[in-house]
Amino acid sequence: MTNDIPWLVPAGVLLLGYLLGSIPFGLLLTRFGGAGDLRQIGSGNIGATNVLRTGRKGLAAATLLLDLAKGAAAVLIAGAILPGGGVLGGLAAFIGHCYPVWLKFNGGKGVATMMGVVLALHWPSGIVFAVVWLGLLAILRISSLAGMSAAISAPVSAAFFGRIDLVLMLLALTMIVLWKHRANIDRLLNGTEPRIGGSKSGSKKSA
């Protein structure tokens, strides 16, 4: 059957990756955890940074880990189904997270899911991603800047390690991360981007 329809397996991998990536863990955890509708809190974003604004650190950590895990899982499952299919699965999961059909294509900003994808595709680049992200977050305490810097590090480190086959795909993911952070970029340029743990004024519509 698959020999007669050669596109069926790749299409299935893309669909599976998208559906996995589109699971809005932040929204589900805050709702079932009694923290309310995440879309009505802070920036309205469904990622871990906004979950943290509910004051539920455990839910924020769980959101981060689950968003990361779904990116990695999509790569591994797709690779098991289709040789070399990890890239397709990871790309689809990332798109699913950022543009989930269940939320009218208004999803997260993709940093945690991208980290999971990078770790599963090429763990050395994933380690660089994590060090840049967590290091800058600890030093600067600006979630958006740390996340965007980590995303930029992914295609750079892949090229450095000789994984040229991943560079274009990771560059595409990076561009989407930057696009999703365009309001944050404006605030960074204006000096109004809030820091984690800082004043809550101006936190609306932040990361």
Side-chain angles (χ1 to χ4, degrees), residues 114-115 118 122 124-133 136 145-161 167 170-171 174 178:
M114 183 175 177
M115 180 175 166
V118 177
H122 184 239
S125 295
I127 295 299
V128 172
F129 191 111
V131 169
V132 171
W133 188 14
L136 288 179
L145 183 57
M148 288 187 289
S149 299
I152 291 169
S153 78
V156 174
S157 59
F160 176 81
F161 288 118
V167 171
L170 294 177
L171 184 60
T174 299
L178 296 178

Side-chain angles (χ1 to χ4, degrees), residues 1 8 20 22 29 43 53-54 71 76 80 89 93 95 99 102 127-128 138 140-141 149 152 165 170 187 189 191 196:
M1 181 67 176
L8 189 59
L20 182 58
S22 68
L29 288 174
S43 65
R53 293 192 179 98
T54 68
L76 298 176
I95 297 298
Y99 303 102
W102 327 111
I127 295 299
V128 172
L140 302 176
R141 302 194 67 79
S149 299
I152 291 169
D165 56 311
L170 294 177
R187 285 192 295 274
L189 294 174
I196 292 179

Side-chain angles (χ1 to χ4, degrees), residues 44-190:
N45 189 264
I46 63 171
T49 299
N50 202 40
V51 175
L52 190 60
R53 293 192 179 98
T54 68
R56 307 287 288 275
K57 294 181 179 180
L59 292 181
T63 298
L64 176 65
L65 292 175
L66 288 169
D67 282 347
L68 188 156
K70 70 185 182 183
V75 171
L76 298 176
I77 294 171
I81 295 174
L82 177 68
V87 170
L88 290 178
L91 175 61
F94 178 82
I95 297 298
H97 176 78
C98 293
Y99 303 102
V101 64
W102 327 111
L103 302 180
K104 299 180 180 179
F105 304 103
N106 185 23
K109 296 184 178 179
V111 178
T113 302
M114 183 175 177
M115 180 175 166
V117 170
V118 177
L119 278 169
L121 287 174
H122 184 239
W123 68 263
S125 295
I127 295 299
V128 172
F129 191 111
V131 169
V132 171
W133 188 14
L134 298 179
L136 288 179
L137 190 60
I139 295 169
L140 302 176
R141 302 194 67 79
I142 302 178
S143 176
S144 60
L145 183 57
M148 288 187 289
S149 299
I152 291 169
S153 78
V156 174
S157 59
F160 176 81
F161 288 118
R163 289 303 304 270
I164 305 301
D165 56 311
L166 298 178
V167 171
L168 285 179
M169 178 265 203
L170 294 177
L171 184 60
L173 268 56
T174 299
M175 296 305 294
I176 294 173
V177 168
L178 296 178
W179 172 255
K180 296 285 284 187
H181 282 85
R182 58 194 183 277
N184 303 85
I185 294 172
D186 287 340
R187 285 192 295 274
L188 286 167
L189 294 174
N190 294 330

